[in-house]
Amino acid sequence: MFDELQALEKTHTWDLVDLPPKKILIGCKWVYKIKTRSDGSIEHYKSRFAGKWYMKEYGIDYDETFSPVARLTSVHSLLAIFTAKCWKLHQMDAENSFFNGD
């Protein structure tokens, strides 16, 4: 939780402002997950700070939705191309990501 809060503060994710009139405050909560290795042992604990977006209303709080996904066949196709072309492939884990950031 400490690392997550530090990252949010470092990137200036939000500003505290007064709630505009006739607007509903969207709450937030911590979501916890235990990441395990293939043998079942604990690798590390993860936490993320999430908004309770289910409280939003279409046309008032948002106008469109977007869910970034990748089909497994697309991933397999890209891996096949990398293999055929002998390209190097690097894997990384992103600590934080923002979909509407600058």
Side-chain angles (χ1 to χ4, degrees), residues 5-17:
L5 280 174
Q6 261 190 328
L8 293 172
E9 288 174 1
K10 182 180 176 185
T11 56
H12 304 287
T13 303
W14 61 71
D15 294 316
L16 294 178
V17 297

Side-chain angles (χ1 to χ4, degrees), residues 68-86:
V69 294
R71 293 178 58 117
L72 195 54
T73 52
S74 300
V75 174
H76 287 168
S77 298
L78 283 173
L79 291 173
I81 292 169
F82 271 75
T83 303
K85 303 253 183 202
C86 296

Side-chain angles (χ1 to χ4, degrees), residues 21-92:
K22 298 183 181 178
K23 294 294 179 180
I24 298 170
L25 181 67
I26 302 295
C28 52
K29 64 181 178 179
W30 283 101
V31 179
Y32 303 101
K33 187 170 187 174
I34 298 173
K35 300 295 265 186
T36 57
R37 296 184 182 90
S38 58
D39 64 0
S41 63
I42 295 173
E43 182 176 342
H44 63 274
Y45 298 94
K46 291 189 75 145
S47 65
R48 66 183 170 92
F49 197 55
K52 295 181 180 178
W53 304 118
Y54 55 83
M55 296 178 64
K56 297 177 87 172
E57 292 185 42
Y58 182 78
I60 296 173
D61 299 308
Y62 71 95
D63 294 321
E64 60 182 302
T65 60
F66 175 76
S67 182
V69 294
R71 293 178 58 117
L72 195 54
T73 52
S74 300
V75 174
H76 287 168
S77 298
L78 283 173
L79 291 173
I81 292 169
F82 271 75
T83 303
K85 303 253 183 202
C86 296
W87 290 346
K88 290 184 179 180
L89 180 65
H90 298 277
Q91 187 265 338
M92 62 174 265

